[in-house]
Amino acid sequence: MKTLAVRTLYLTFAVAWLYCPGKVVAEYGDFSPDSLQVFYDYIHGQEMVKVEAGGPLRQAVEAVPIDLGTAIDLEQEAGLRDWLYDFLVAFSISGNDSLAATFYLRERIKHPDPKIKSGIPELFEKVKAAHQQTLADLDCDYFFANISFFDSEFRVFAMQEPYDSYQSYAQTHGMLPKGYTAITPPTHEEIETRLAGGEQMVFADIMFIVEEPEEFTAFETPGRTPSFFRLVWDPERAVWRIVEAFFSVGVPQIFLFGM
């Protein structure tokens, strides 16, 4: 069981997760951003897909449209869908410590520099143990039960200096959750440096709504929340890398950036 401190912290976060309406724009529901009940009805009125490895989830991911602001090839498109599918499965009822560690370390594993890839077996075991400890601290077996892709799309575009953050885009378009947590991994600083050097890079934004497992919720109704991720294509590694993420306070995705 959780310690009292951990449980209290989780309950505080869960309240924010369930009851922080933010400003979800008409683009994501066509309702007044000032209405808590309308927002609540919106996210809890979504048709959900079970997050479990297999055909139904894969088909749902494949059906997410791609808005091409710049051209990408078939490898990049497949990589986008694989990233989303692998992310969801790793932290679902189908997931395990090895899948989670593989997702955490995917960028390092695909790095061409042997020095970067060295020590992966030892690091892999450390990440597996850390993921298991996170589950134990939160007194749950997995994080994602269901997902909605209603209004979701991969928004693909090219960018050069200056860097225009996804968080700023969301705020401008009325999409920023109230009481949100914003994460900028180390990748972010590297990308800004490369853009400042005149490099043009390809990005992809994606929003989806996740639902926590009913058996681990602290409330009568399992929490749902919009989750926002920005990825950047790294042609050298042939992999999509996380640049930004933000979501309501208490959403368990924050574990992704604790390594």
Side-chain angles (χ1 to χ4, degrees):
M1 298 297 291
K2 298 187 186 77
T3 64
L4 179 60
V6 171
R7 182 177 294 278
T8 301
L9 182 63
Y10 176 68
L11 288 173
T12 301
F13 282 172
V15 170
W17 183 1
L18 281 165
Y19 298 111
C20 287
K23 290 181 166 182
V24 179
V25 75
E27 174 181 354
Y28 285 98
D30 194 17
F31 56 79
S32 168
D34 299 319
S35 173
L36 172 59
Q37 187 59 50
V38 173
F39 173 84
Y40 187 86
D41 291 344
Y42 170 71
I43 62 172
H44 285 276
Q46 301 300 325
E47 179 180 351
M48 307 296 284
V49 176
K50 185 175 179 61
V51 181
E52 185 176 33
L57 179 62
R58 172 60 76 175
Q59 290 168 14
V61 169
E62 293 293 330
V64 175
I66 298 180
D67 178 15
L68 289 175
T70 191
I72 59 174
D73 59 29
L74 293 178
E75 179 186 21
Q76 291 169 295
E77 179 177 342
L80 272 181
R81 300 193 187 280
D82 288 344
W83 179 91
L84 182 54
Y85 180 83
D86 292 344
F87 167 62
L88 295 171
V89 169
F91 307 107
S92 74
I93 195 170
S94 300
N96 54 52
D97 297 338
S98 292
L99 287 178
T102 298
F103 188 85
Y104 282 128
L105 299 174
R106 59 194 299 277
E107 296 177 12
R108 180 183 289 265
I109 290 171
K110 293 192 175 185
H111 202 290
D113 188 341
K115 294 181 180 179
I116 300 296
K117 298 176 72 171
S118 65
I120 284 183
E122 294 80 7
L123 184 58
F124 192 83
E125 293 305 315
K126 290 181 180 179
V127 172
K128 285 172 59 179
H131 176 253
Q132 186 58 45
Q133 185 61 54
T134 300
L135 292 174
D137 289 343
L138 294 176
D139 196 19
C140 62
D141 297 333
Y142 61 100
F143 296 113
F144 303 145
N146 298 299
I147 187 166
S148 170
F149 293 126
F150 185 76
D151 285 330
S152 297
E153 66 178 7
F154 291 103
R155 188 175 68 96
V156 178
F157 58 97
M159 189 193 308
Q160 285 182 297
E161 189 187 15
Y163 181 79
D164 184 13
S165 74
Y166 191 16
Q167 184 179 338
S168 296
Y169 174 88
Q171 186 168 19
T172 301
H173 289 72
M175 296 155 49
L176 198 62
K178 186 178 181 180
Y180 67 93
T181 297
I183 305 296
T184 52
T187 312
H188 189 88
E189 183 176 351
E190 174 195 334
I191 298 309
E192 286 193 324
T193 299
R194 292 170 65 175
L195 290 173
E199 184 175 348
Q200 178 173 285
M201 308 186 76
V202 176
F203 296 84
D205 294 343
I206 179 70
M207 185 283 294
F208 45 85
I209 297 173
V210 292
E211 181 179 74
E212 66 177 340
E214 183 175 2
E215 60 266 40
F216 304 125
T217 185
F219 296 93
E220 184 176 345
T221 302
R224 294 183 181 182
T225 186
S227 306
F228 301 80
F229 286 87
R230 169 170 287 177
L231 311 176
V232 64
W233 177 250
D234 188 324
E236 184 179 18
R237 307 181 196 188
V239 64
W240 290 97
R241 305 170 64 192
I242 298 175
V243 183
E244 288 184 64
F246 51 94
F247 24 75
S248 296
V249 174
V251 178
Q253 280 97 306
I254 197 167
F255 64 81
L256 275 175
F257 307 97
M259 301 299 171

